[in-house]
Amino acid sequence: MLVSMKDMLNNAYHEHYAVGQFNINNLEWVATVLKTAKENRSPAILGVSGGTIKHMLGFKTIHAIVKNAMDYLDIDVPIALHLDHGQSYESCFAAINAGFSSVMFDGSHLPFEENLEITKRIVDYAHKRGVSVEAELGTIAGSEDGIVNSQVIYADPNQCLTMVKETNVDCLAAALGSTHGLYKGKAKLGFNEMQHISNLIKIPLVLHGGTGICDEDMLHAISFGTAKINVNTENMYTWCVAVGKLFAEQKDHDINDPRKVINHGLNPVAEKITERMKLFGSVNRY
Ligand SMILES: [Zn+2]
């Protein structure tokens, strides 16, 4: 079932678990996340970044692949197809028009009033079509697909409350110290701030930059109202390491089938995703 994030995140929020957003990169990646979700009876969010939109030939192609893959694999757990870090209302509208069930508008680099106004416009458009919206406040450091921020700026609690009240957004990525990509040293999350914001806004929080946050901190975040955790870098890294090893070990043998190479790298990715689903508490929910 391709569904919005609304019900799956509200369920997770009230039952104190989190749903993983696993970014996709190609057809086989889509199949891996879908099969792993089904095997674990877990909901899942397929994240689509700006780089993937280009790599997978646009919103319509991606939607067609996911929809038909779900039919082919007989997927019977809730799956959301979500635009990750949408950069404009145009790109959010294009994703929605192509059939995406969820979008994120990342207006965190804009002045607050502008972020608020555009988010509201997107929520109005999305909700009429049964599509969920994630907003962002504060700054997540690190780099992901060309989005580079050198410093962490914590989300302002009052702005979070205004954003939720005025836009009716479904979930909020309030930046509180997490980083995209690989961390330099241990991640330090602002749990006091997270608890405070969560108590104010009373809707699911989203944690970006899941790679490198220790299990204990993830569970802590979930206990403070985080109901969506984005994991991307560790899966990409896992694939690259596995495929690199395959070639290193079989220098002069017969690697001649790209399909096998791609899937070889995805086996450990499926294991990683299963570990994450178990940690987040999203298995056997459906
Ligand atoms: Zn992110």
Side-chain angles (χ1 to χ4, degrees):
M1 301 165 270
L2 196 59
V3 294
S4 89
M5 304 196 300
K6 187 179 168 45
D7 288 344
M8 71 166 86
L9 292 190
N10 283 339
N11 288 345
Y13 177 76
H14 290 294
E15 303 280 328
H16 308 290
Y17 65 94
V19 182
Q21 174 187 305
F22 306 101
N23 283 30
I24 56 171
N25 295 292
N26 53 34
L27 169 71
E28 293 84 353
W29 220 285
V30 170
T32 299
V33 181
L34 292 177
K35 284 189 216 166
T36 309
K38 186 181 175 186
E39 271 164 29
N40 287 293
R41 308 306 308 162
S42 168
I45 298 156
L46 306 185
V48 178
S49 69
T52 294
I53 298 164
K54 288 200 191 84
H55 181 78
M56 291 183 71
L57 311 181
F59 293 122
K60 287 183 191 165
T61 311
I62 295 167
H63 174 258
I65 287 172
V66 170
K67 191 180 173 297
N68 289 299
M70 286 178 64
D71 287 346
Y72 185 82
L73 296 169
D74 202 12
I75 300 299
D76 56 354
V77 289
I79 301 291
L81 179 59
H82 176 73
L83 172 63
D84 192 20
H85 292 284
Q87 294 294 296
S88 63
Y89 74 84
E90 288 97 335
S91 86
C92 289
F93 284 16
I96 294 167
N97 292 342
F100 275 48
S101 63
S102 188
V103 295
M104 172 186 187
F105 174 61
D106 177 358
S108 58
H109 53 286
L110 298 171
F112 176 64
E113 290 301 329
E114 208 176 325
N115 185 359
L116 188 74
E117 193 185 310
I118 299 173
T119 303
K120 189 170 179 354
R121 190 169 168 188
I122 293 166
V123 172
D124 290 345
Y125 191 83
H127 281 187
K128 276 186 201 133
R129 292 158 178 81
V131 171
S132 53
V133 181
E134 173 181 341
E136 178 172 330
L137 284 169
T139 303
I140 299 158
S143 76
E144 186 176 65
D145 259 4
I147 301 164
V148 183
N149 289 307
S150 53
Q151 62 178 144
V152 171
I153 301 169
Y154 274 24
D156 176 273
N158 292 326
Q159 289 185 354
C160 290
L161 185 60
T162 306
M163 177 64 89
V164 169
K165 282 244 148 72
E166 293 202 6
T167 68
N168 199 21
V169 76
D170 299 277
C171 58
L172 181 69
L176 295 166
S178 64
T179 299
H180 286 133
L182 294 171
Y183 285 79
K184 294 183 187 91
K186 192 181 178 295
K188 278 197 204 79
L189 299 181
F191 287 116
N192 290 338
E193 293 83 354
M194 192 183 287
Q195 194 173 20
H196 177 52
I197 290 171
S198 182
N199 288 339
L200 276 178
I201 67 173
K202 297 185 175 65
I203 67 163
L205 284 170
V206 181
L207 180 60
H208 282 244
T211 302
I213 295 176
C214 68
D215 291 2
E216 201 189 353
D217 282 357
M218 294 242 191
L219 295 176
H220 233 86
I222 293 169
S223 75
F224 291 149
T226 296
K228 173 176 183 269
I229 301 180
N230 295 5
V231 183
N232 182 28
T233 305
E234 68 181 20
N235 290 335
M236 295 178 96
Y237 187 72
T238 297
W239 186 90
C240 292
V241 169
V243 171
K245 235 174 119 191
L246 176 73
F247 279 90
E249 282 166 3
Q250 298 201 19
K251 272 191 196 100
D252 33 43
H253 306 282
D254 48 357
I255 299 175
N256 54 23
D257 185 340
R259 293 166 300 186
K260 286 187 184 158
V261 173
I262 294 171
N263 284 329
H264 177 86
L266 281 165
N267 292 333
V269 172
E271 285 168 26
K272 277 258 164 214
I273 293 174
T274 298
E275 274 173 33
R276 288 307 185 196
M277 288 174 168
K278 286 183 177 157
L279 178 70
F280 299 165
S282 69
V283 301
N284 295 325
R285 297 284 177 177
Y286 289 89

